[in-house]
Amino acid sequence: MSNRLKDQSSPYLLQHAENPVDWFPWGSEAFEKAEKEDKPVFLSIGYSTCHWCHVMAHESFEDPETAELLNRYFVSVKVDREERPDIDSVYMSVCQEFTGSGGWPMSIFMTPQQRPFYAGTYFPPEARQGMIGFRALLRAIAGRWRENREGLLASAEQLVARISQQEQEEGSPYPQDLIERAAGIFAGSFDQQYGGFGMAPKFPAPHNLLFLLLYARTRADGEETGKVYQQVGKTLEQMRRGGIFDQIGFGFSRYSTDRYYLAPHFEKMLYDNALLILVYAVAGRILSQPVFTDTAEKTAEYIRREMTGPAGEFYSAQDADSQGEEGRYYLWQKEEILQILGKERGKQFCRHFGITRQGNFEGRNIPNLLGGGEISDAYEEDGSLLYSYRKSRAKLHLDDKVLTSWNSLMISALAVLYRVTGKQSYRLAAERAWQFIENNLADGDILYVGCRDGVRSVKGFLDDYAFYAAALINLYEVTAEPGYLHRARQICRQGMRQFGDGDRGGYFLYGTENGELIARPKETYDGALPCGNSVMAYCLARLSQIDGGGEWEEAARRQTSFLAAEADHYPAGHCMFLTALLLQQYPPLKVTIVLAEGDHWEDILPRLPVSGEIRFLDGPAEQYQLYHGRTAYYVCHGHACLPPTDRIPDFTNFTTS
C-alpha cells in the first residue's frame, strides 16, 4: 500500500513510497499533524544512491514492526538531501553537534516546531557493536516525550541557539600567507607512495588539485613548482590506475575506501565526474600528460553513454548496489573473463588488469592497473566486450533527476575539455545542457533546484545560482558569445539579491525566495563540492576582470574579505576561494585570433591557455586585422595588450593559468 510519497518526483522519496511507514514529504501538512496529535517528528534524510540508506530502509522502514512504532508515536518525514540542501545543511549541523560527525542516512528527532532534540545517522534494527537498536530508540524517545518532555524541549532550545549563532568575523583584508599555508598543509599530508592526501578513505577533491595546479603555475618558485606538480600528477595517475576509475565502462566512483585507490565506494555521482573531467583536462595541458586528457575524455564518454538524457540534460547518480550487494555490478571472477574473451586473450587481459582466481576484493576482482600495466587503448576491444556483457548481467539504479547546480558543473567541465581538445562535440554537449536549464529550470532570473519527468522542484539555493553563473562565464570564455556573459550578470545579480548578507558579508545558503528554517547557514568550507560562497567569489572576480571593475569589483572585494576571515583557521579547506584569489592576483589572458583563410580554430584552440577569454574572428573586424595576410594573435594580459603577431605566443612566459 502506497504512502504520501507516491506523488513525489524525487527518486529517493519514490524508493520509500511503498514502505509501511506513513511517510510525509517535508511541508506544513506533516508539522501541523504532529502539533495536532502532540507527536514528535522523525526526520530521515538521504539520497537515492546511498548504500547505508538502502540498508536502513530494508532493515527498518520496510519492517512492519518498526513501521508500527513510527506510525503510532511519530510523524515521519522523508527528505532528499540533493533536492533540499538547505534542510540537509541545517540538520547536518545538528547531527554533528550531537555525534561529532555526520553522514547519511541522517536521523533527526524534533518537535512539531522543527526544534531537534536527538540525532544520529544509521541505526541497526537491534543493538549491535555499541549502537542502540532503532526500535529500542523509538520506544525510548516516545517514552521521554510522554514523561520528560521538559528536558527534551530545553535541550532542543539550547541546540537551536547554538547552531543559530553567527560566529563569522567582520571582514578584513586577507592574510597574505593564506595561499602558501594551504599549499604547505597539502605538502605535509601528501602520500608519496600512493598519491592523494592523508590516509584512507581518500576522496578525489578535484578542486583542491585545481588550486595546487594554479598555485604552482603562478606563485611557487621553480623547485616548489616541481614538487607541487608531482603531488598532483602522482594523485591523478594513481586514481586513473586504480579501481576508483571504472576500467571497463569509464567514469569515477565516489571515493576510495583504501589508501591505494583500489577499492572504491562504488556509487558514481555526476558532480564528482564533472570536477574530475575538469582537473584531468587542465592537468593534461599544464603537465603535458596526454593520458590525463584521455582520462577526461573517457570520463566524458561515460557521461554521454550512461548519464545523459534525451534533451542533453545530465542525470544525478548511479547506485553502488546491484542484486542486493554493493559493488557487485563492477566485480569479476577470472573465469568469467576467460569465457567471454577466450582463454589466451582473457589471460592477457587478466594479467594486465590485476585479475586473479583468488580476487582482490572479497573473493572477486576490481580491474585495475596498480601493478604497473601500461595505460593505453590496447585492450579497448576487450573492454567493449566486457562492458556489453556487464550491462546484460545486471542493471544499476539510475537517479535520473536533473539538478541545476550539478548540470552547471558538467557544463563548465565540458567547456574546459572543449578548449583543451578543440573537439566540437564537447561544446555542443555543454550548450545543449545550458539550453535544458534555460527551458526547464529557469523562470526569468529565478532558478529551480532540479526537475524530473517535467516536474520542477523547489526554487534554487545559493549553489544553483553560483554554479550556473560560473558555467555561463566558462561558456562565454570559450565562445565569446555575449549572450552567455549577459546571462551570467543577470544570474549573479539575482544571487546577490536573494542570498547576500549586507551586514556581515558573504551569502546565505537559502534566500528570500525560499522558506525559513530554524537557522540560516552560510557555508564557507569546501567539501566534496566547492561551496557556493567560494564559487561566488570566482564569479565576481571574473566578472570584475571581464567588465573592467564597476559593481563587480566592489562585490568581489567584499567577498574576498569575508572568505579570508573564514579561511584563516584552515586555508586548505577553502581551495575554491583560494583559486578565485589567485585569479584575482594573476588575471587570465584575453586572446583574440583573426583567422586567415585555410586556418582552423580547432587546430589552434588546444594550444591556448586553459582559462581566460578566447575569441575567434573569421577574418578582419574593427581594430583586429590579419598580420600581413596571416592569422593574427592579439593578447592582453592584466591592463596591457601586446603587439599582434602571426605566431601562437609562448604562453609559458606569462604568469597565468
Side-chain angles (χ1 to χ4, degrees):
M1 181 177 179
S2 300
N3 56 47
R4 290 172 177 81
L5 302 184
K6 69 181 187 303
D7 298 323
Q8 298 297 301
S9 61
S10 160
Y12 177 62
L13 299 188
L14 290 172
Q15 286 175 351
H16 296 80
E18 301 299 323
N19 291 170
V21 178
D22 186 17
W23 291 112
F24 285 76
W26 182 277
S28 59
E29 182 183 4
F31 296 106
E32 288 170 1
K33 176 181 172 67
E35 190 160 16
K36 180 179 179 182
E37 298 181 6
D38 193 25
K39 292 179 177 179
V41 172
F42 169 62
L43 171 64
S44 177
I45 303 176
Y47 57 103
S48 75
T49 57
C50 165
H51 170 69
W52 286 103
C53 299
H54 299 331
V55 173
M56 190 165 177
H58 177 67
E59 291 177 341
S60 294
F61 304 145
E62 296 171 10
D63 175 63
E65 181 183 348
T66 305
E68 197 276 332
L69 289 171
L70 283 167
N71 296 341
R72 182 192 304 176
Y73 296 118
F74 301 87
V75 172
S76 300
V77 175
K78 261 288 174 195
V79 165
D80 183 338
R81 65 172 286 258
E82 294 167 355
E83 284 194 337
R84 293 302 304 265
D86 55 333
I87 299 170
D88 180 64
S89 177
V90 167
Y91 289 101
M92 181 61 73
S93 298
V94 169
C95 189
Q96 290 167 341
E97 282 278 344
F98 271 106
T99 68
S101 62
W104 300 276
M106 196 191 314
S107 303
I108 307 290
F109 294 88
M110 57 186 177
T111 71
Q113 293 74 38
Q114 304 173 21
R115 264 48 180 170
F117 55 79
Y118 191 82
T121 53
Y122 164 79
F123 293 100
E126 303 291 343
R128 66 169 182 258
Q129 298 176 340
M131 293 186 286
I132 187 173
F134 189 56
R135 288 191 289 269
L137 177 64
L138 295 177
R139 293 188 182 98
I141 289 177
R144 288 199 65 189
W145 183 259
R146 291 192 307 270
E147 299 161 10
N148 186 23
R149 189 175 309 183
E150 293 76 13
L152 292 180
L153 296 179
S155 65
E157 291 306 317
Q158 291 170 3
L159 181 61
V160 170
R162 285 203 301 274
I163 67 172
S164 298
Q165 286 175 351
Q166 295 293 332
E167 297 178 352
Q168 291 124 352
E169 302 174 28
E170 293 293 337
S172 58
Y174 65 86
Q176 296 296 315
D177 64 346
L178 275 179
I179 289 168
E180 282 72 21
R181 282 165 52 202
I185 290 169
F186 286 116
S189 63
F190 177 61
D191 185 339
Q192 292 281 354
Q193 188 171 2
Y194 298 110
F197 302 89
M199 303 300 286
K202 286 182 175 176
F203 290 80
H207 41 293
N208 294 350
L209 300 177
L210 283 168
F211 158 71
L212 288 172
L213 284 171
L214 186 56
Y215 165 73
R217 197 168 177 83
T218 55
R219 286 281 283 267
D221 59 30
E223 181 180 356
E224 188 175 10
T225 292
K227 291 180 179 178
V228 174
Y229 281 167
Q230 191 263 338
Q231 294 167 20
V232 175
K234 175 68 174 178
T235 300
L236 292 176
E237 181 179 350
Q238 190 79 0
M239 288 196 295
R240 173 63 178 84
R241 289 181 171 277
I244 191 174
F245 181 75
D246 180 359
Q247 305 288 341
I248 303 300
F250 312 146
F252 286 86
S253 293
R254 181 70 190 85
Y255 61 86
S256 177
T257 63
D258 56 41
R259 182 183 174 190
Y260 327 105
Y261 291 104
L262 170 64
H265 181 48
F266 288 94
E267 65 183 315
K268 289 180 178 176
M269 311 298 293
L270 179 66
Y271 63 81
D272 285 319
N273 283 278
L275 289 167
L276 284 161
I277 289 171
L278 186 60
V279 74
Y280 272 98
V282 171
R285 170 69 64 75
I286 291 178
L287 302 181
S288 300
Q289 289 281 356
V291 70
F292 292 163
T293 307
D294 178 70
T295 302
E297 293 202 75
K298 281 182 165 56
T299 305
E301 174 65 9
Y302 157 70
I303 294 296
R304 184 194 67 79
R305 288 192 301 204
E306 302 203 28
M307 298 286 281
T308 303
E313 73 276 27
F314 301 115
Y315 300 136
S316 293
Q318 278 184 320
D319 210 330
D321 293 14
S322 59
Q323 298 171 289
E325 186 177 333
E326 183 183 8
R328 184 180 179 89
Y329 177 84
Y330 297 101
L331 301 176
W332 298 87
Q333 300 281 7
K334 184 176 181 179
E335 288 71 20
E336 276 183 298
I337 292 174
L338 297 178
Q339 184 177 358
I340 296 161
L341 300 182
K343 188 173 181 181
E344 290 307 314
R345 190 62 182 168
K347 283 183 178 179
Q348 293 176 26
F349 184 93
C350 289
R351 277 196 301 271
H352 190 73
F353 286 97
I355 293 169
T356 64
R357 294 196 185 279
Q358 63 268 29
N360 56 29
F361 182 80
E362 298 178 355
R364 299 190 184 95
N365 290 277
I366 302 171
N368 70 90
L369 296 170
L370 295 172
E374 182 185 3
I375 302 173
S376 73
D377 291 331
Y379 292 89
E380 185 174 2
E381 185 177 340
D382 300 317
S384 295
L385 289 172
L386 294 173
Y387 176 72
S388 297
Y389 170 78
R390 191 177 72 178
K391 289 191 74 172
S392 68
R393 185 178 66 175
K395 185 176 177 62
L396 291 175
H397 165 70
L398 175 70
D399 186 330
D400 59 356
K401 69 175 176 292
V402 181
L403 296 174
T404 299
S405 59
W406 297 6
N407 271 249
S408 298
L409 284 174
M410 187 57 71
I411 291 170
S412 292
L414 292 171
V416 171
L417 188 55
Y418 160 64
R419 76 189 297 160
V420 167
T421 64
K423 295 181 180 179
Q424 182 80 352
S425 59
Y426 299 131
R427 171 179 171 173
L428 294 175
E431 291 185 316
R432 286 188 76 206
W434 160 75
Q435 193 64 63
F436 183 91
I437 290 176
E438 288 295 325
N439 292 343
N440 298 275
L441 293 166
D443 183 3
D445 297 346
I446 301 297
L447 299 178
Y448 287 79
V449 169
C451 66
R452 182 174 182 271
D453 291 341
V455 179
R456 289 195 301 213
S457 58
V458 298
K459 290 182 178 179
F461 302 103
L462 174 62
D463 287 8
D464 300 298
Y465 288 82
F467 289 18
Y468 188 43
L472 291 161
I473 292 168
N474 288 322
L475 281 172
Y476 167 73
E477 288 182 335
V478 295
T479 66
E481 294 288 344
Y484 291 131
L485 183 58
H486 175 67
R487 186 64 167 147
R489 295 187 192 107
Q490 289 181 324
I491 295 300
C492 258
R493 288 190 182 108
Q494 183 64 240
M496 293 163 71
R497 182 189 70 80
Q498 284 194 45
F499 307 101
D501 183 347
D503 296 326
R504 291 176 173 264
Y507 296 87
F508 294 108
L509 174 60
Y510 67 86
T512 55
E513 297 286 332
N514 310 120
E516 291 189 16
L517 299 173
I518 59 171
R520 197 178 182 195
K522 280 184 200 168
E523 296 187 337
T524 60
Y525 191 90
D526 295 334
L529 281 168
C531 73
N533 267 287
S534 291
V535 179
M536 278 296 287
Y538 165 83
C539 293
L540 296 170
R542 289 300 293 132
L543 287 174
S544 174
Q545 291 164 345
I546 293 168
D547 284 356
E551 63 179 299
W552 306 115
E553 185 171 15
E554 174 58 21
R557 186 201 63 76
R558 277 180 53 84
Q559 186 68 350
T560 296
S561 180
F562 166 76
L563 283 173
E566 295 293 312
D568 192 29
H569 68 287
Y570 187 67
H574 300 78
C575 281
M576 187 64 209
F577 161 59
L578 298 183
T579 298
L581 196 55
L582 282 169
L583 289 172
Q584 287 179 290
Q585 296 173 354
Y586 304 95
L589 299 177
K590 181 175 183 177
V591 184
T592 301
I593 301 122
V594 186
L595 287 171
E597 187 174 353
D599 286 345
H600 303 283
W601 58 262
E602 295 96 336
D603 300 325
I604 297 170
L605 187 60
R607 300 166 67 185
L608 301 178
V610 294
S611 66
E613 302 166 67
I614 296 173
R615 179 164 56 150
F616 284 96
L617 301 177
D618 293 318
E622 300 172 356
Q623 72 268 37
Y624 297 105
Q625 301 294 319
L626 293 171
Y627 190 87
H628 302 302
R630 296 185 293 273
T631 292
Y633 298 86
Y634 294 79
V635 178
C636 294
H637 185 219
H639 299 289
C641 293
L642 305 180
T645 177
D646 62 341
R647 296 184 179 183
I648 296 179
D650 181 4
F651 291 108
T652 60
N653 292 329
F654 295 95
T655 307
T656 182
S657 56

